[in-house]
Amino acid sequence: MAFITEKEELKPGLILFRRGDVDHRMWYCRMKMPKADRYKTVSLKTTDISAARERAFDQDADIRFRIKHDVPVFNRPFRDVAREYLLTQEARAKRGEISAARPKKLRAVIEGTLDRYAGSTQVHLIGDERWGSYPAWRRENGAGRHKRNGVREVTADAAQSFADREAERRTKVQHTLGIRVLKPIEVKPSKERVVPFISDSTIRFEMSIFGAIMNYAVKKRYVPASQRFDERPKLKTMRRDEFTLEEYRKLHTVGRKWIAEADKPSSVWYRTVTYNLIQIACNTGMRPAEMKNLRWRDIMPAKDREGREIVVLFVQGKGKSRKLVAPKSVGEYLERIRVISKATAPDDRVFTNVTGKPAKTLYSSLIADLLNEAKLREGTQGVPRSTYCFRHTYATLRLQEGVDVYFLAEQMGTSVHMIESHYGHVNTIKHADRVLQGMAGWELPQPDETRAKASKAAETHDKGKRGQRHRPR
């Protein structure tokens, strides 16, 4: 290196030197890492050659101790580790291991809140206290979107800071979409000085990324294994919002009227496709990503054991694929789209824009317009509904009809645990007769003779099974 002067080799792999590109005369040492093509340079903070030699040997001994006991050698700020982790996730997205949208979500959190919280902190200094303090810090230093999470008053400076961040976010969105920003986007701070709290679900998502970065640091040996944070704080879980059967029927009725009121051919086209997409989503439980990826070749007519016509769909999303079954009506909804679509080749996407190119947003603004028209935009918890709510509607209606949770999990491409966690409230409604048993004015219906015999036989069978299970071997 050109800036190294007065170089002295104390032993193989350990040199003492001064820097020619600085004004001071302090000594430095550079150590080669054992069994690795890496070096560490340390300022010895002395101008005395004898003291510098002694300190250099101390540094070398410290390095060897760290390597022997698996203690990190290099100090890195959290910001650098987070960016390194992000690069690995972008590489995974290119290989198709995760969705292309995933790294974008990670980048927004990593370069946003996590950078403000721990960006300049050395990663090896992040411990339990720093990890556990994140929820409280996030609530005090962020503004949410929905007042259902509660509100708090902020200072004028804090309100202006939130407004500036929102303006920056909107500007980034415009650049991402390829839209030129001719003048700076301005967001005025709230006059009320009242902002909603950040939701617990947002904090939970951000902490999952925080934990993944720390786990990556452990894997790369930047920090010891004790800095692996797998446990999440116990935060409030919001139940997923679905449409009730009455709301679904209302959406169906308003949707047909909404199409008839379109004033342009392109509007009629988009509204027709959006309406049929909703019908398909509510009758299949597909994720939005799976609908985006659906191609005409993935749709296959079939028949069930009784000879009834069904539709089999091969869907792909979240890095996984599966086949799901749907009633004949779904095939009819898909055919309505095919008739008006300009992209009907086997490899073409089912959901496109009016010119035949794949739909990027899956008609999210049109869905919002239809929900507003039907006065169904907000759910019971005050959260604006989205395309994902149609999937929840499917799950809820299927459970209410008594579909086995195992078969439903297979159909929806999720786990039984996930179904039970998010849709456990359905069982309470479905078995209301048993929940209300013994209350005044409420009695269980008396079973007929056939059902009584079957119930008794089942009970005897279960007792026999339990006896076999506990019988000593």
Side-chain angles (χ1 to χ4, degrees):
M1 298 180 182
F3 62 83
I4 290 181
T5 63
E6 301 180 50
K7 177 179 175 182
E8 178 182 342
E9 184 177 27
L10 301 180
K11 70 171 195 174
L14 176 63
I15 64 170
L16 198 66
F17 66 94
R18 280 183 168 137
R19 298 182 58 148
D21 58 342
V22 294
D23 294 332
H24 60 73
R25 300 289 293 163
M26 297 291 184
W27 287 98
Y28 292 82
C29 71
R30 191 179 74 174
M31 298 156 284
K32 185 180 184 303
M33 298 296 101
K35 299 180 181 179
D37 190 21
R38 299 187 68 185
Y39 297 84
K40 182 172 184 179
T41 300
V42 178
S43 172
L44 300 175
K45 302 185 184 305
T46 181
T47 58
D48 181 71
I49 183 64
S50 299
R53 291 191 183 107
E54 183 177 348
R55 293 181 185 182
F57 281 114
D58 288 343
Q59 288 289 337
D60 182 68
D62 180 65
I63 291 294
R64 294 181 180 280
F65 175 86
R66 287 171 175 266
I67 293 174
K68 180 178 180 180
H69 295 279
D70 199 24
V71 178
V73 174
F74 296 94
N75 296 334
R76 291 169 175 262
F78 178 83
R79 179 181 296 117
D80 289 354
V81 179
R83 288 173 179 169
E84 191 176 324
Y85 168 76
L86 180 60
L87 290 175
T88 66
Q89 299 308 297
E90 290 175 343
R92 290 185 64 199
K94 289 180 180 179
R95 295 194 298 267
E97 296 176 6
I98 58 175
S99 69
R102 179 68 178 174
K104 295 178 182 178
K105 294 179 181 179
L106 295 176
R107 181 180 293 278
V109 175
I110 288 172
E111 296 182 352
T113 54
L114 291 184
D115 189 74
R116 294 199 301 273
Y117 182 68
S120 60
T121 304
Q122 295 295 313
V123 70
H124 70 284
L125 297 179
I126 296 176
D128 291 333
E129 183 177 354
R130 187 76 166 171
W131 164 261
S133 300
Y134 183 78
W137 176 89
R138 187 70 173 99
R139 292 188 183 98
E140 289 298 317
N141 292 273
R145 292 181 295 174
H146 310 302
K147 292 186 177 180
R148 64 174 174 78
N149 302 310
V151 296
R152 63 187 175 94
E153 293 187 9
V154 297
T155 64
D157 290 341
Q160 184 62 54
S161 175
F162 293 145
D164 292 343
R165 290 178 196 166
E166 177 62 17
E168 182 181 356
R169 186 192 68 81
R170 294 183 186 180
T171 303
K172 285 184 178 179
V173 170
Q174 296 293 307
H175 287 310
T176 302
L177 296 175
I179 301 173
R180 290 183 61 190
V181 180
L182 300 178
K183 60 179 181 179
I185 296 176
E186 294 184 3
V187 177
K188 294 182 179 179
S190 171
K191 294 181 180 179
E192 298 179 355
R193 298 289 186 271
V194 172
V195 297
F197 277 111
I198 293 290
S199 70
D200 284 355
S201 59
T202 296
I203 295 175
R204 186 181 295 106
F205 172 69
E206 292 172 354
M207 291 195 76
S208 70
I209 299 173
F210 192 178
I213 294 169
M214 293 305 297
N215 290 346
Y216 174 80
V218 171
K219 181 180 178 181
K220 298 292 288 185
R221 295 190 176 183
Y222 299 151
V223 297
S226 59
Q227 286 178 264
R228 182 184 185 97
F229 303 112
D230 289 325
E231 292 187 6
R232 304 283 183 270
K234 294 182 179 179
L235 303 173
K236 182 174 61 178
T237 300
M238 298 301 293
R239 183 171 65 81
R240 301 185 176 192
D241 232 343
E242 72 281 343
F243 295 91
T244 64
L245 187 57
E246 291 73 19
E247 288 176 331
Y248 173 67
R249 288 170 178 165
K250 182 180 180 181
L251 192 62
H252 187 73
T253 302
V254 174
R256 289 186 305 224
K257 181 182 177 183
W258 180 62
I259 295 172
E261 292 175 347
D263 56 356
K264 293 188 298 184
S266 61
S267 296
V268 173
W269 189 95
Y270 276 111
R271 292 187 180 191
T272 301
V273 174
T274 301
Y275 170 77
N276 283 284
L277 176 143
I278 292 173
Q279 302 299 319
I280 294 167
C282 288
N283 283 277
T284 61
M286 277 194 288
R287 298 181 176 92
E290 293 169 344
M291 287 190 284
K292 279 184 183 180
N293 295 332
L294 188 67
R295 301 174 188 268
W296 292 112
R297 69 184 181 199
D298 300 329
I299 304 166
M300 298 159 282
K303 291 185 178 181
D304 67 2
R305 292 180 179 179
E306 304 297 327
R308 292 170 295 197
E309 293 184 8
I310 60 172
V311 177
V312 178
L313 304 177
F314 176 73
V315 297
Q316 302 175 75
K318 294 187 72 174
K320 301 177 182 178
S321 62
R322 71 183 189 286
K323 288 183 179 179
L324 61 83
V325 295
K328 181 183 177 182
S329 58
V330 169
E332 295 171 356
Y333 302 139
L334 289 164
E335 187 59 29
R336 292 176 191 172
I337 295 175
R338 188 197 293 269
V339 168
I340 62 175
S341 178
K342 291 187 178 180
T344 58
D347 287 339
D348 288 336
R349 303 288 176 92
V350 172
F351 299 105
T352 66
N353 59 24
V354 71
T355 63
K357 294 182 180 179
K360 293 183 179 180
T361 63
L362 213 61
Y363 324 115
S364 57
S365 60
L366 287 159
I367 289 173
D369 289 343
L370 176 55
L371 295 178
N372 286 328
E373 184 75 16
K375 295 181 173 56
L376 296 173
R377 184 74 170 99
E378 288 192 354
T380 55
Q381 301 184 64
V383 182
R385 284 166 165 153
S386 64
T387 309
Y388 220 96
C389 290
F390 303 130
R391 175 174 165 87
H392 305 323
T393 301
Y394 172 82
T396 301
L397 296 180
R398 292 294 83 219
L399 288 170
Q400 288 176 353
E401 291 295 329
V403 174
D404 185 274
V405 67
Y406 172 79
F407 293 123
L408 184 61
E410 287 288 309
Q411 167 84 348
M412 297 185 67
T414 187
S415 65
V416 171
H417 174 72
M418 185 66 71
I419 295 287
E420 292 175 340
S421 297
H422 291 288
Y423 305 103
H425 63 286
V426 177
N427 283 329
T428 304
I429 300 170
K430 186 171 66 176
H431 299 296
D433 56 340
R434 298 188 179 279
V435 175
L436 300 177
Q437 181 181 357
M439 296 184 68
W442 190 274
E443 293 181 358
L444 278 174
Q446 295 299 318
D448 57 34
E449 187 177 348
T450 304
R451 289 185 178 179
K453 290 181 179 179
S455 178
K456 188 174 182 180
E459 185 179 353
T460 303
H461 177 74
D462 288 343
K463 286 181 178 178
K465 284 286 187 183
R466 286 196 295 270
Q468 290 177 5
R469 210 166 35 236
H470 296 293
R471 187 179 301 163
R473 296 182 179 179

